[in-house]
Amino acid sequence: MRILLLAQFYPPVIGGEERHVRNLGRALAQRGHSVSVGTFMHSGSTDTEFDGPVRVHRLRGTIQRLSNLHADSERRHAPPFPDPELLLALKRLVAEERPDIVHAHNWIYASFLPLKVLDGARLVVTLHDYGLVCAKKNFMHLGTHLCDGPRLAKCLPCATAHYGAVKGTATTLGNWASSFAARRVVDRFIAVSHAVARHTGLTRGRAAYEVIPNFVPDDIGILGPEDSCVRELPEDGFILFVGDMMRLKGIDVLLQAYARLEQAPPLVLIGRRVADTPAEFPPNVRVFSNWPHSAIMHAWHRSLFGVLPSVGPEACATVIMEAMASGKAVVATDVGGMPDLVDDGETGLLVPPSNTQALTRMMQSLLDDRTLLSRLGTTSLARVGRLKAGAVVTRIEQVYGGVLCPSASSVVLPAQQRSGEPSC
């Protein structure tokens, strides 16, 4: 099969979504598929390069050039409406790669929709967040509480408060139009959690969709050489948080809950500092930024357990999978896609979001009951297989096969594609 993955970001820009697209491309290539990636140009990169067996094409868009529109110059997002320059670049890319399947990730799909309508290319779209209905993508109304559903009269003021009047209005209206079109022409949506499927309205609509989580590589548990930054960690036996250090991720709730613990071990935070990151941290809290992924995996192996106290509805937290692959339990909030990953009382513990007392109580229980901690970690390691590439990529291949050959009952295998044409 010839597969074109579209993603607004790709390494060296690193985040959960970017790592997922890279891992997916490599896994598909290992299975014999011809894989290419279309992504935005990054400073210092060439127009075309190889990332292992995957061809990476760097594209330019008009909105990307307007640096004053983006809060982070290193992450210039695709707009939720067709970008003229990006659309033409995608047209040239499709003519060059001749994909059987185009698999887009988040808003870059909007610039491909006109091509889908014109030439009928088979299109799969993975929703890594709530961007199909939410201009801010996080499904938090005014940034304070879980949204009860999109309504234009409500979404416009919410987006305006976040982006400003002009950008907020353009983003909201463009997203509504693209979402309307996408539900009618996308061949299959993949929602990374049941929460994403539910909150984006897929469960109530007619658009075809599957719920398939993100995944971690099959060899995720095999540690590589130890990076020098790992030496900065405290002695083994600390509580670990990995992610952007922001209120939406529950960083304030975590610090308050941690302060209430009795005989607490060190708390290690690894992630990006953002605008609402606390300016100061308690003495027993160690803060690290810009760590390579390999070092983070070493930190997971040396930790006692992980904590992910997000206030917002995390779509599909890869850090939970990484903790499980390291044989660690996670205390997480019972919101968004977290219940899809954490089996409460079996692989981890779930608490209500923003509940400081409950978070303290659950963390304390793991510190006091090492038998419970060990049991949760052992079960996590035993169950992480369903979240590894071997299991998840097979399900994505089945989606491709169903889109190419709706009447077929099995996956279209790479060997069937040697002629360059999909075969049913």
Side-chain angles (χ1 to χ4, degrees), residues 90-112:
L90 289 172
K91 183 178 181 180
R92 291 191 295 268
L93 179 56
V94 168
E96 177 182 348
E97 291 290 345
R98 298 179 294 106
D100 301 317
I101 288 285
V102 176
H103 185 173
H105 298 260
N106 278 327
W107 277 352
I108 198 169
Y109 83 83
S111 292
F112 186 80

Side-chain angles (χ1 to χ4, degrees), residues 389-402:
V392 178
V393 176
T394 297
R395 296 178 62 190
I396 294 174
E397 283 183 308
Q398 290 170 344
V399 169
Y400 296 163

Side-chain angles (χ1 to χ4, degrees), residues 233-247:
L233 289 171
E235 293 296 322
D236 293 4
F238 49 83
I239 301 170
L240 180 60
F241 166 92
V242 176
D244 291 346
M245 289 175 272
M246 60 194 302
R247 287 191 177 90

Side-chain angles (χ1 to χ4, degrees), residues 54-284:
V54 178
R55 292 179 301 282
V56 180
H57 301 269
R58 302 282 179 175
L59 313 175
R60 292 175 174 83
T62 303
I63 299 298
Q64 186 200 22
R65 296 179 186 274
L66 305 176
S67 59
N68 59 326
L69 291 180
H70 305 273
D72 185 346
S73 61
E74 294 298 313
R75 299 177 71 85
R76 301 184 182 186
H77 294 263
F81 48 81
D83 179 302
E85 188 176 0
L86 179 58
L87 190 155
L88 291 175
L90 289 172
K91 183 178 181 180
R92 291 191 295 268
L93 179 56
V94 168
E96 177 182 348
E97 291 290 345
R98 298 179 294 106
D100 301 317
I101 288 285
V102 176
H103 185 173
H105 298 260
N106 278 327
W107 277 352
I108 198 169
Y109 83 83
S111 292
F112 186 80
L113 287 180
L115 300 179
K116 162 67 176 171
V117 173
L118 291 174
D119 66 17
R122 304 299 174 88
L123 177 61
V124 174
V125 173
T126 289
L127 304 176
H128 292 273
D129 52 39
Y130 306 93
L132 192 65
V133 295
C134 177
K136 299 187 304 177
K137 297 189 175 185
N138 59 21
F139 211 66
M140 292 290 287
H141 184 54
L142 296 175
T144 59
H145 57 277
L146 189 68
C147 184
D148 61 1
R151 293 187 297 277
L152 193 58
K154 183 178 69 173
C155 294
L156 279 171
C158 183
T160 295
H162 183 74
Y163 292 118
V166 175
K167 185 178 175 181
T169 300
T171 302
T172 301
L173 296 180
N175 196 36
W176 275 65
S178 293
S179 176
F180 179 84
R183 292 174 195 273
R184 284 152 182 80
V185 304
V186 170
D187 293 289
R188 193 74 55 88
F189 286 101
I190 295 177
V192 297
S193 65
H194 288 88
V196 169
R198 183 172 64 254
H199 292 321
T200 57
L202 293 178
T203 55
R204 301 184 300 276
R206 296 182 178 180
Y209 77 95
E210 303 276 351
V211 176
I212 302 177
N214 293 333
F215 63 89
V216 289
D218 291 328
D219 61 355
I220 185 72
I222 301 175
L223 296 181
E226 192 171 282
D227 297 89
S228 58
C229 56
V230 175
R231 302 186 199 119
E232 301 177 53
L233 289 171
E235 293 296 322
D236 293 4
F238 49 83
I239 301 170
L240 180 60
F241 166 92
V242 176
D244 291 346
M245 289 175 272
M246 60 194 302
R247 287 191 177 90
L248 199 62
K249 295 279 189 179
I251 193 69
D252 294 338
V253 178
L254 172 57
L255 293 178
Q256 293 168 16
Y258 176 73
R260 298 173 180 228
L261 292 175
E262 298 177 3
Q263 298 182 325
L267 170 64
V268 172
L269 312 177
I270 305 177
R272 287 194 310 159
R273 291 177 180 263
V274 294
D276 61 357
T277 298
E280 297 181 356
F281 296 90
N284 212 26

Side-chain angles (χ1 to χ4, degrees), residues 257 260 331 350-365:
R260 298 173 180 228
V331 180
L350 294 174
V351 299
S354 301
N355 191 321
T356 304
Q357 291 182 336
L359 184 59
T360 300
R361 186 168 60 254
M362 291 304 178
M363 288 195 294
Q364 191 71 60
S365 69

